[in-house]
Coordinates of all heavy atoms in Angstrom, one line a residue:
C155 N 12.1 23.8 8.8 CA 13.3 23.8 9.6 C 13.0 23.2 10.9 O 13.9 22.8 11.7 CB 14.0 25.1 9.8 SG 12.9 26.3 10.6
C160 N 8.4 29.6 12.5 CA 8.1 29.5 11.1 C 6.7 28.9 10.9 O 6.0 29.3 10.0 CB 9.2 28.6 10.4 SG 10.7 29.3 10.4
C194 N 14.1 25.6 4.4 CA 12.8 25.9 5.0 C 12.2 27.1 4.2 O 12.6 28.0 3.7 CB 12.9 26.5 6.5 SG 11.4 27.1 7.2
V196 N 9.9 29.0 4.9 CA 9.8 30.3 5.5 C 11.1 31.1 5.7 O 11.2 32.2 5.2 CB 9.1 30.2 6.9 CG1 8.7 31.5 7.6 CG2 7.8 29.4 6.8
C197 N 12.0 30.5 6.5 CA 13.1 31.2 6.8 C 14.4 30.9 6.0 O 15.4 31.5 6.1 CB 13.5 31.0 8.3 SG 14.1 29.3 8.7
Ligands
LIG301 ZN1 12.2 28.0 9.2

Side-chain angles (χ1 to χ4, degrees):
C155 63
C160 290
C194 175
V196 183
C197 70

